[in-house]
């Protein structure tokens, strides 16, 4: 999966829906220290580097990190780390921002990464993240109980074989309350619609996704004090 993840990045759901919404949420980052949490192949790390941010990219998967290394070389620091564990090599208030694209749905309780992001961010620092939309997950996976966090499996077939990837779906309250409980303030929440460029690639999905939620993109910040 790590080897074929590039296909996923180029899929219009990522390239023409989630990615543009996320990058529009990121404040000016030139010269800022930014953590790319769950960096995968380094899609966001590269975008941040191109805008002259000082980037640390982390992921728990060694093969994903290998691909990220090939993409960004020595233009950023790359470390293996699990975002559900303390980032012991990072000091308090060391970062101006954290970006976390499509990685949180592999984590059951978001309080753990959010608490750690809050610790490493300076006062007034930003967190920008994306996730599957709770409504889409609830319907697509015919959830037993909307109000519970439930483990589901998503089928990935880019490698030619079907792989069932476990993830956690959750109600809306389990997106917002963990943020508030860990000291973040919610600045902006976007339920993005596909860009026109999506239409040429997947016209039927385009029509559906104009009327039906797919992702959530959020910008939150730590208190200025
Ligand atoms: C769908 S990919 C997204 C990659 C990248 N952020 C992007 O948007 O292109 C999810 C990534 O999250 C990583 N991941 C999942 N759980 C993680 C954890 N607990 N700690 C760190 N990385 C994790 C996976 O290894 C994978 O690279």
């Amino acid at each position: 999966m790590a080897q074929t993840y590039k296909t996923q990045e180029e899929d219009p759901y990522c390239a023409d829906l989630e990615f543009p919404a996320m990058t529009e949420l990121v404040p000016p980052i030139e010269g800022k220290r930014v953590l790319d949490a769950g960096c995968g192949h380094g899609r966001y790390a590269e975008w941040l580097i191109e805008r002259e941010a000082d980037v640390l990219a982390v992921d728990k998967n060694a093969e994903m990190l290998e691909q990220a290394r090939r993409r960004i070389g020595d233009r950023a620091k790359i470390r293996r780390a699990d975002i559900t564990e303390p980032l012991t090599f990072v000091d308090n208030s060391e970062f101006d921002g954290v970006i976390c694209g499509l990685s949180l749905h592999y984590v059951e309780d978001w309080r753990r990464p959010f608490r750690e992001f809050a610790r490493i961010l300076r006062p007034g620092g930003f967190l920008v993240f994306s996730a599957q939309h709770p409504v889409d997950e609830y319907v697509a996976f015919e959830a037993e109980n909307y109000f519970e966090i439930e483990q589901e499996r998503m089928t990935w077939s880019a490698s030619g074989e079907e792989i069932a990837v476990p993830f956690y779906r959750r109600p809306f309250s389990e997106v917002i309350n963990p943020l508030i409980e860990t000291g973040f303030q919610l600045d902006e929440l976007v339920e993005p619609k596909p860009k026109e460029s999506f239409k040429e690639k997947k016209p039927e999905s385009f029509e559906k996704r104009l009327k039906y939620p797919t992702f959530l993109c959020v910008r939150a910040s730590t208190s200025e004090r």
Side-chain angles (χ1 to χ4, degrees):
M1 277 180 62
Q3 277 158 18
T4 58
Y5 188 71
K6 192 95 174 61
T7 326
Q8 200 64 31
E9 286 184 4
E10 287 158 6
D11 186 275
Y13 280 91
C14 285
D16 307 291
L17 180 48
E18 182 258 355
F19 188 78
M22 281 283 279
T23 51
E24 279 168 27
L25 281 177
V26 177
I29 42 161
E30 190 182 328
K32 306 280 186 194
R33 293 219 67 199
V34 184
L35 174 74
D36 181 1
C39 65
H41 280 205
R43 175 172 69 130
Y44 282 109
E46 183 170 60
W47 184 88
L48 293 163
I49 292 163
E50 284 167 355
R51 278 146 195 85
E52 298 183 24
D54 175 9
V55 179
L56 169 65
V58 302
D59 199 287
K60 79 170 185 183
N61 182 299
E63 288 183 45
M64 286 288 195
L65 287 177
E66 192 45 47
Q67 298 292 336
R69 241 177 232 114
R70 281 192 203 163
R71 182 183 212 154
I72 58 185
D74 60 4
R75 294 183 292 155
K77 291 186 202 73
I78 298 177
R79 292 279 301 245
R80 190 167 184 186
D82 186 329
I83 59 170
T84 64
E85 304 289 336
L87 302 171
T88 48
F89 52 94
V90 179
D91 288 337
N92 290 352
S93 310
E94 199 179 319
F95 282 86
D96 299 293
V98 174
I99 190 158
C100 189
L102 298 178
S103 300
L104 286 165
H105 46 255
Y106 303 109
V107 173
E108 185 168 6
D109 185 352
W110 291 3
R111 289 164 186 82
R112 294 176 77 172
F114 286 170
R115 198 168 290 122
E116 192 59 5
F117 295 160
R119 178 186 74 80
I120 67 168
L121 280 170
R122 65 162 171 79
F126 71 87
L127 165 63
V128 171
F129 69 87
S130 57
Q132 303 284 133
H133 197 290
V135 170
D136 193 24
E137 288 180 328
Y138 175 65
V139 175
F141 293 90
E142 297 173 355
E144 286 277 314
N145 182 346
Y146 170 79
F147 299 104
E148 297 291 324
I149 296 176
E150 295 172 325
Q151 195 181 57
E152 302 282 0
R153 282 171 195 276
M154 197 179 286
T155 307
W156 289 56
S157 50
S159 63
E161 58 176 312
E162 295 207 330
I163 303 169
V165 182
F167 75 100
Y168 295 93
R169 61 146 291 277
R170 71 204 61 235
F172 228 109
S173 54
E174 283 295 327
V175 175
I176 302 302
N177 290 337
L179 268 182
I180 294 165
E181 287 168 30
T182 53
F184 282 96
Q185 123 186 348
L186 178 63
D187 295 331
E188 192 170 347
L189 186 152
V190 180
E191 296 169 295
K193 291 182 186 168
K195 298 281 183 197
E196 273 298 307
S197 47
F198 189 119
K199 195 175 183 175
E200 300 139 31
K201 301 177 192 166
K202 289 193 172 161
E204 281 165 28
S205 304
F206 178 77
E207 292 307 324
K208 176 174 177 186
R209 297 293 159 180
L210 277 180
K211 298 178 189 152
Y212 190 87
T214 313
F215 296 111
L216 267 188
C217 299
V218 172
R219 187 180 66 237
S221 55
T222 48
S223 151
E224 288 285 353
R225 285 189 300 130

